[in-house]
Amino acid sequence: METGNQSSSDQPPKPTRALVLPGGGGRGAYQVGVVKALYEHGIRFDYAFGTSIGGLNATMIGQQELDRLEDLWCNMRAHDIYRIPSAAQLGRLVLGRNLGLLDTGPLEDLLRRECDLHRLKQSPTKVGWCTTDLCSLQTNLVTIDDIASTNELVDILMATAALPIAFPPRHMHGTGLWMDGGLVRNTPLQAALDCGADEIYTVLLHPEKVNVCPANMFEILSRVLDVVLDASARKELQSAELYTQLALTNKESGKKLPAIKVFQPRSPISLTLLEIDPVRSRKLIKQGYDEAKDQLLDYQRADSAMAKLDSASPPAGPPDRIVRKKAKAS
């Protein structure tokens, strides 16, 4: 009996895991494939933080509805998210009564059908969304703990999904003009660090590098948004790399820093932010799934190699100093 208790107590504690999903518009289907591969690998999340389409994906993942999320992506088209404005809406845009080029009524209808406040409140995965207020220039992380009603939930989801200029910003609690937090923090990595996660998994959605000039205003808008959001995501990636370096540097001191695992497309995604097509979404889900499985193997090999180095290294503390002195004497 004592031996059994001992073996149970020797098991390492379960790590706290956070999923971080940045924006990327129609490329967001790739994230679904990556999370699907992580689930098959037995990885579940205590936290899910997202911005823009990453925030919408995180919501469904928080509801424990990954299969439904995949089904949505496999059937969604652009007109299920936004519509080209009517003549009357264009008139309101010119007069300053409408603050976005596109009509996002379809997206709001979709969110009201699919999002479940009760499920999110009861979920083992706490969800958070990043959004920026154009009035105060403040960027906030709003978590499910801050949400008291379905209307508030829809407001934060519409706000984090509000691509600058393209989609109208959103009032929250009757104030501000809140929009896509990707303007400042496309990858809400800091939120995962602040919650004390031991392992952080983030899925980046870099656009394909093209050498073709945009041919119309729609393409210009998409390209400008790509530039802004991609620059924000790369800044966060640099932060992740810095944390990884610090973790390796501080390993001997005993200070523990989170392990950050980054997943990103190995082959380019030739899709703009505003393109949503079910055929291409299915391909992106498969690409994300296949590439994530390969990247997981790479991380496993790296972790195994690091463990071997750790076991081969001399013990820390005074004995280590003695060994070094003997080496110098010889």
Side-chain angles (χ1 to χ4, degrees):
M1 181 72 69
E2 186 175 346
T3 304
N5 291 336
Q6 181 66 34
S7 62
S8 176
S9 63
D10 287 344
Q11 291 180 356
K14 176 182 174 293
T16 299
R17 295 187 175 116
L19 177 66
V20 176
L21 300 177
R27 297 187 290 268
Y30 182 89
Q31 295 176 338
V32 179
V34 172
V35 175
K36 187 176 177 180
L38 295 176
Y39 272 23
E40 285 189 7
H41 203 69
I43 297 170
R44 296 293 186 274
F45 299 100
D46 302 282
Y47 298 91
F49 301 110
T51 299
S52 196
I53 191 61
L56 305 188
N57 283 341
T59 301
M60 296 299 289
I61 291 167
Q63 289 181 186
Q64 313 301 309
E65 291 186 295
L66 182 62
D67 289 343
R68 176 57 181 160
L69 179 60
E70 181 176 0
D71 181 63
L72 285 170
W73 273 106
C74 290
N75 291 280
M76 264 192 320
R77 297 183 180 275
H79 64 72
D80 296 313
I81 303 300
Y82 61 84
R83 290 186 293 252
I84 303 299
S86 65
Q89 288 171 324
L90 285 174
R92 289 196 293 272
L93 180 67
V94 172
L95 295 173
R97 297 172 187 167
N98 196 353
L99 300 179
L101 291 175
L102 301 172
D103 174 11
T104 53
L107 173 60
E108 181 164 352
D109 292 341
L110 175 68
L111 294 176
R112 290 191 181 278
R113 286 196 309 269
E114 299 295 336
C115 296
D116 188 323
L117 179 63
H118 178 73
R119 291 193 72 160
L120 284 170
K121 289 283 190 182
Q122 299 298 317
S123 174
T125 303
K126 180 180 287 190
V127 182
W129 305 271
C130 195
T131 182
T132 298
D133 180 20
L134 291 179
C135 300
S136 64
L137 303 183
Q138 180 179 354
T139 297
N140 282 357
L141 178 77
V142 178
T143 72
I144 190 59
D145 292 339
D146 304 315
I147 305 296
S149 68
T150 297
N151 285 337
E152 288 183 15
L153 176 61
V154 172
D155 282 343
I156 181 59
L157 293 176
M158 292 294 291
T160 193
L163 291 168
I165 304 175
F167 293 178
R170 193 81 170 189
H171 293 303
M172 291 206 301
H173 302 291
T175 63
L177 290 173
W178 296 87
M179 65 185 311
D180 190 340
L183 279 174
V184 178
R185 195 184 305 163
N186 194 32
T187 306
L189 181 65
Q190 190 61 48
L193 296 170
D194 291 343
C195 76
D198 301 305
E199 298 176 3
I200 299 173
Y201 297 76
T202 185
V203 189
L204 301 184
L205 299 171
H206 297 315
E208 179 182 19
K209 292 182 179 180
V210 294
N211 192 25
V212 179
C213 294
N216 53 55
M217 285 299 295
F218 188 82
E219 291 183 3
I220 288 174
L221 175 61
S222 294
R223 197 71 61 84
V224 169
L225 293 173
D226 266 338
V227 170
V228 173
L229 299 180
D230 188 50
S232 175
R234 289 183 185 277
K235 183 178 179 181
E236 291 289 304
L237 180 57
Q238 290 173 355
S239 299
E241 292 171 346
L242 176 60
Y243 264 88
T244 300
Q245 293 171 5
L246 288 172
L248 293 173
T249 303
N250 294 336
K251 198 160 189 178
E252 290 186 2
S253 69
K255 183 178 180 181
K256 185 179 179 182
L257 290 174
I260 301 176
K261 301 183 188 299
V262 179
F263 297 83
Q264 53 190 325
R266 289 180 170 176
S267 57
I269 299 177
S270 57
L271 200 68
T272 69
L273 289 169
L274 295 173
E275 288 182 85
I276 301 172
D277 175 76
V279 174
R280 302 180 82 176
S281 293
R282 292 186 196 104
K283 291 179 179 178
L284 281 177
I285 292 171
K286 185 178 186 306
Q287 180 183 343
Y289 175 81
D290 292 340
E291 292 182 351
K293 291 187 77 171
D294 290 340
Q295 290 177 66
L296 279 168
L297 287 175
D298 291 341
Y299 277 121
Q300 283 180 337
R301 294 188 190 105
D303 291 343
S304 178
M306 187 62 66
K308 288 180 180 178
L309 285 175
D310 289 343
S311 63
S313 62
D320 182 58
R321 291 196 292 271
I322 293 172
V323 169
R324 288 176 182 170
K325 286 181 179 179
K326 287 183 178 179
K328 288 180 180 179
S330 62

